Amino acid sequence: MSRPPNGPTGNRPRTDASAEDVYREYATIGTALQLPEKMWPADRAAFHEYWNRTLAGLEADEVAVRVARDLLYPSAGPAVMRLVMPLARLITAGLLPCQLRKDFRLAWNRWHRLCFERTINLLARVHPLLPQRLRHWPKKYYLGQLAPALGHPWQGRHLAAAPEVRGRQSNADNSAYDPPGDSRTGAVSGD
């Protein structure tokens, strides 16, 4: 199964220039997380090289696994949150490289992959139809939540710290990253 023929944005194909614009816009998240601007990769090609190299060296430790389990399988909280958690688990597992998915002990088989691909394809068609304000709300909301803790002037509260991930002790190369789709074309590959 593959993404819509017109690209991952539905009826509007994403040009390299617009993808670079999105990349630069999301660089604000990196700087909000205290990554110095000069350390942010210059463009998408440099980011993909950094991303693949970094993913090849990640391994979830027991603390990270426990935190992920608590987040993805909540025993309390609003009922609506617990109702959407199977979808959150599916998307989380589908977006992780194969090795991290295994490290986090997330279920994954052909059925999960098929459901993930169909969900991503549906989201790719629906997302461009949403008002821009709604599409950008999550990013703006969480940046606002992070800001006070990081000394930024935005309003909001502090988010809990993310689980720790430590380097894998191997000579893994970029092939260790088993993405759900080709980042250049948006095509989703099979197992």
Side-chain angles (χ1 to χ4, degrees), residues 61-108:
D61 63 15
E62 285 305 313
V63 173
V65 171
R66 196 169 42 253
V67 170
R69 192 66 47 190
D70 290 346
L71 290 172
L72 293 171
Y73 294 90
S75 58
V80 70
M81 180 186 75
R82 291 192 313 269
L83 287 173
V84 300
M85 289 316 295
L87 178 61
R89 288 190 294 270
L90 175 71
I91 292 173
T92 299
L95 292 174
L96 285 174
C98 184
Q99 185 58 49
L100 279 177
R101 193 182 307 134
K102 289 177 184 175
D103 287 353
F104 281 109
R105 301 176 198 126
L106 295 171
W108 195 254

Side-chain angles (χ1 to χ4, degrees), residues 31-179:
T31 55
L33 294 170
Q34 297 183 332
L35 176 69
E37 193 171 341
K38 66 183 179 187
M39 290 183 67
W40 188 258
D43 56 24
R44 288 176 29 244
F47 180 82
H48 285 293
E49 181 182 320
Y50 154 80
W51 183 256
N52 288 332
R53 186 179 62 249
T54 302
L55 283 177
L58 293 180
E59 181 179 82
D61 63 15
E62 285 305 313
V63 173
V65 171
R66 196 169 42 253
V67 170
R69 192 66 47 190
D70 290 346
L71 290 172
L72 293 171
Y73 294 90
S75 58
V80 70
M81 180 186 75
R82 291 192 313 269
L83 287 173
V84 300
M85 289 316 295
L87 178 61
R89 288 190 294 270
L90 175 71
I91 292 173
T92 299
L95 292 174
L96 285 174
C98 184
Q99 185 58 49
L100 279 177
R101 193 182 307 134
K102 289 177 184 175
D103 287 353
F104 281 109
R105 301 176 198 126
L106 295 171
W108 195 254
N109 57 36
R110 288 178 190 234
W111 174 249
H112 291 107
R113 182 180 50 81
L114 178 63
C115 291
F116 172 76
E117 290 171 354
R118 289 190 175 170
T119 299
I120 293 300
N121 286 329
L122 176 64
L123 292 174
R125 287 186 173 95
V126 171
H127 187 263
L129 303 175
L130 298 173
Q132 187 175 17
R133 184 175 177 172
L134 183 59
R135 290 192 316 252
H136 292 280
W137 177 83
K139 175 187 68 169
K140 290 179 179 182
Y141 173 79
Y142 286 109
L143 281 174
Q145 297 290 304
L146 283 170
L150 301 176
H152 291 283
W154 305 307
Q155 298 293 324
R157 295 171 304 202
H158 177 61
L159 291 178
E164 290 192 22
V165 179
R166 60 184 165 78
R168 184 181 309 286
Q169 304 298 319
S170 73
N171 294 325
D173 62 6
N174 288 348
S175 64
Y177 178 47
D178 179 28

Side-chain angles (χ1 to χ4, degrees), residues 1-14 116-129 180-189:
M1 179 175 279
S2 64
R3 300 254 174 123
N6 291 329
T9 57
N11 294 329
R12 301 172 315 175
R14 170 101 47 224
F116 172 76
E117 290 171 354
R118 289 190 175 170
T119 299
I120 293 300
N121 286 329
L122 176 64
L123 292 174
R125 287 186 173 95
V126 171
H127 187 263
L129 303 175
D182 184 321
S183 61
R184 292 165 288 141
T185 65
V188 177
S189 61

